[in-house]
Amino acid sequence: MAGTVHFPYQYRLRRTALKALVAGMMSACLLSAQFLPGAHVILAKDLPTVSEEIFAMDTYMSISASGEAAREAVDASLEEIRRLDDLWSVGNEDSEVARLNRHESVELSEDTRSILERAIQIGTDTEGAFDITIFPLMQEWGFTTGDYKVPSDKRRSELLRYVDVSALDMDMDGACSLPENVQIDLGGIAKGYTSDRAMEIFEEYGVDGGIVSLGGNVETYRTKADGSAWRVGIRNPDPSVPALLGSELTGIVQASDLAVITSGGYERYFEKDGITYHHILDPGTGMPADSGLISVTIVSRDGCLADALSTSLFVMGKEKALEYWETHSDSFDVILVEEDGKITVTRGLDGIFSSELKYEIYPEG
Amino acid sequence: MGKRDIMLLAALFAVGAMLFVFFRFNRAEGARAVVRVSGEEYGSYDLTMDQTVEIHGRDGGTNLLQIQDGKASVTEASCPDLLCVHQGKVSRQGESIICLPNEVVVEITGAMEEVPYDVISG
């Protein structure tokens, strides 16, 4: 651009041109500095921030921490993610879950036992809206492989017979195996369990603040380097809905020591004969949940719970989801987005949730 | 105030204004689409230059990155789900397009317009 600048008075100002140029540059620098984005951030960031990314658990993950031991904490978190992925991946035939699914007798590791206990407990508490035994149907639909197909009604009802979280009521001390025809997938809870582990690691290493996003499952540790809460944007599930039009986000949650986990049909889906089929299957029907909700965000100190509930409340639908919240409001809050773009936010988020869009706080008043 | 002083002031202002515009423009040019494959930086592309880049991802997978009118999008890809193509155009700092099967991440950095969040849940 500089080469194209023409200065019509140049010939009359030969002696002062240089002075003018110098003074002009100085004023330009002053003017620019004021608008320089991020200038204040550089000042606030006197501690190193370490960020890494990793593809694991069939998703993209990023891990970030600041403070003196940030490097060690982030490396330890990556190692933990790989370790847990190796335990639970359905694609890795040596994983404990893959071996259980082949109906081998498996001596469970402590982590597998504890995630199974959580999965069963949440499954029972949500009356089966969350159910890790949905795996054979996930496979039949092709959501585990990307080889999508719509199962026949017959095949679906055959497989549904073995979807039953209470079938997992088993003694997990010592070697144990799954009941006949029952198979499991920890995909709906593993990332939450893993982000909780990352928070524990951040705590052990004494980092000043940190954040992880495991495929859009976010969990925050303390605050940003400048002491302010992490700003977690909630993805707009469908910008083509008139009430949500043109907005990238449904809103922003200011989070500190909280998991913010969202489930929506947009995460994984395919189209067949003009119909869109998404990956959140209703364990009651074996079909993609059609509850009128298009996105559910759970905010909780418990990432494992938040992960499992984001899918279960999606399956339940608005009315049941809010009923469930009423009896569990001490352990989580929720943001619900309906097909028509209506946004409902539970009372505990009042003050930390903000949005350009219209939303309602539940319960009113 | 002599004629020369006025000229000097005018010149000062003109040069200052032009440099100011120049610096601002330059920063806008700083916006880039940074591509990483399996966590390793693959390339960085100027958002002001319309271009098409073939990205060679993991296991021979490919994604076609198109930069047009200051926006980046993946227009074609070898992955089965094509979620990267469905993600549409990104142009603001911190926005990204991710292709899981090919382990490709396209992230916008250094843009003028910063997003008001640190991370997205969803």
Side-chain angles (χ1 to χ4, degrees):
Chain A
M1 284 303 284
T4 65
V5 170
H6 294 288
F7 196 56
Y9 299 112
Q10 207 171 357
Y11 67 101
R12 296 161 77 180
L13 284 163
R14 228 167 274 160
R15 278 180 295 175
T16 50
L18 191 66
K19 282 187 205 165
L21 193 70
V22 171
M25 276 177 143
M26 284 167 70
S27 60
C29 289
L30 280 173
L31 274 166
S32 298
Q34 218 181 320
F35 293 93
L36 195 67
H40 59 289
V41 177
I42 295 163
L43 294 177
K45 269 188 187 165
D46 42 6
L47 283 163
T49 296
V50 177
S51 297
E52 289 285 350
E53 57 188 62
I54 179 175
F55 286 86
M57 300 186 178
D58 204 17
T59 194
Y60 166 72
M61 308 182 161
S62 63
I63 292 96
S64 188
S66 63
E68 274 177 39
R71 168 48 64 193
E72 291 83 351
V74 168
D75 285 347
S77 303
L78 291 176
E79 202 175 305
E80 181 69 355
I81 289 168
R82 289 193 198 97
R83 189 180 69 83
L84 296 174
D85 194 16
D86 284 347
L87 284 180
W88 302 331
S89 163
V90 289
N92 165 15
E93 58 177 38
D94 296 327
S95 78
E96 289 184 23
V97 169
R99 292 176 57 210
L100 282 170
N101 283 345
R102 286 200 302 271
H103 298 94
E104 286 178 24
S105 174
V106 182
E107 193 90 41
L108 297 181
S109 65
E110 202 185 314
D111 284 296
T112 305
R113 209 163 42 220
S114 100
I115 197 172
L116 278 175
E117 276 163 9
R118 292 294 320 263
I120 294 164
Q121 173 241 321
I122 298 168
T124 311
D125 207 48
T126 58
E127 293 169 359
F130 179 72
D131 196 331
I132 57 172
T133 64
I134 193 80
F135 182 64
L137 274 147
M138 288 295 280
Q139 222 172 6
E140 188 68 20
W141 280 91
F143 288 117
T144 51
T145 55
D147 190 9
Y148 303 124
K149 65 166 183 284
V150 182
S152 69
D153 291 351
K154 185 166 168 281
R155 185 75 183 130
R156 201 155 42 81
S157 50
E158 253 170 45
L159 291 172
L160 266 177
R161 281 192 287 152
Y162 309 111
V163 175
D164 180 8
V165 70
S166 63
L168 296 176
D169 189 16
M170 56 192 184
D171 183 9
M172 287 194 276
D173 295 320
C176 68
S177 58
L178 293 178
E180 205 179 338
N181 293 316
V182 172
Q183 290 186 318
I184 59 167
D185 178 8
L186 297 174
I189 190 170
K191 293 196 285 289
Y193 185 98
T194 307
S195 59
D196 282 345
R197 283 292 301 133
M199 299 303 114
E200 286 166 29
I201 289 167
F202 287 174
E203 177 82 35
E204 280 165 35
Y205 282 87
V207 302
D208 295 327
I211 188 163
V212 299
S213 168
L214 312 187
N217 283 19
V218 174
E219 194 156 354
T220 59
Y221 181 71
R222 297 178 65 178
T223 64
K224 290 197 271 188
D226 64 2
S228 65
W230 297 98
R231 294 175 66 83
V232 184
I234 311 301
R235 185 181 301 282
N236 181 341
D238 190 351
S240 71
V241 172
L244 304 174
L245 207 61
S247 206
E248 185 188 5
L249 302 176
T250 304
I252 289 178
V253 175
Q254 297 195 54
S256 169
D257 290 322
L258 288 173
V260 182
I261 296 183
T262 305
S263 278
Y266 57 83
E267 293 170 292
R268 198 163 288 193
Y269 60 89
F270 68 98
E271 281 175 25
K272 178 92 198 296
D273 301 331
I275 302 172
T276 303
Y277 300 94
H278 64 73
H279 74 298
I280 306 174
L281 297 183
D282 181 339
T285 63
M287 292 289 288
D290 183 19
S291 64
L293 294 175
I294 53 174
S295 155
V296 172
T297 301
I298 307 288
V299 181
S300 171
R301 289 183 172 276
D302 182 342
C304 196
L305 179 78
D307 195 4
L309 287 186
S310 67
T311 42
S312 10
L313 269 60
F314 189 100
V315 168
M316 287 180 195
K318 183 182 178 182
E319 201 178 319
K320 275 192 179 171
L322 289 175
E323 259 171 46
Y324 188 85
W325 174 78
E326 298 253 14
T327 50
H328 299 78
S329 60
D330 53 338
S331 55
F332 77 96
D333 274 286
V334 60
I335 301 159
L336 304 172
V337 184
E338 292 170 73
E339 279 163 338
D340 62 1
K342 196 170 169 204
I343 303 168
T344 307
V345 173
T346 55
R347 169 94 23 221
L349 293 171
D350 197 8
I352 63 168
F353 177 79
S354 59
S355 180
E356 296 167 350
L357 302 168
K358 217 178 121 224
Y359 65 92
E360 273 178 19
I361 298 216
Y362 179 89
E364 287 173 66
Chain B
M1 204 185 263
K3 209 173 174 183
R4 287 190 152 212
D5 294 320
I6 292 167
M7 291 282 235
L8 178 65
L9 282 174
L12 251 165
F13 182 78
V15 173
M18 278 187 292
L19 284 172
F20 173 54
V21 168
F22 171 68
F23 279 134
R24 292 215 71 173
F25 189 76
N26 243 2
R27 276 207 311 282
E29 272 184 352
R32 303 186 79 80
V34 175
V35 175
R36 290 187 299 274
V37 174
S38 306
E40 301 289 326
E41 184 156 335
Y42 180 90
S44 165
Y45 309 94
D46 192 335
L47 280 190
T48 61
M49 308 263 289
D50 288 356
Q51 55 192 309
T52 307
V53 183
E54 188 170 275
I55 304 165
H56 298 275
R58 184 180 171 230
D59 294 339
T62 55
N63 300 71
L64 205 61
L65 172 70
Q66 189 179 60
I67 295 174
Q68 203 171 21
D69 306 328
K71 295 186 166 95
S73 58
V74 173
T75 51
E76 284 173 40
S78 63
C79 54
D81 53 14
L82 294 180
L83 289 178
C84 52
V85 176
H86 295 314
Q87 280 176 59
K89 294 176 182 173
V90 293
S91 60
R92 298 203 293 170
Q93 183 170 348
E95 287 186 325
S96 61
I97 298 174
I98 295 161
C99 175
L100 289 179
N102 297 344
E103 300 201 346
V104 168
V105 179
V106 179
E107 190 181 0
I108 305 300
T109 61
M112 288 280 289
E113 201 183 345
E114 278 190 73
V115 294
Y117 50 79
D118 302 305
V119 68
I120 287 191
S121 167

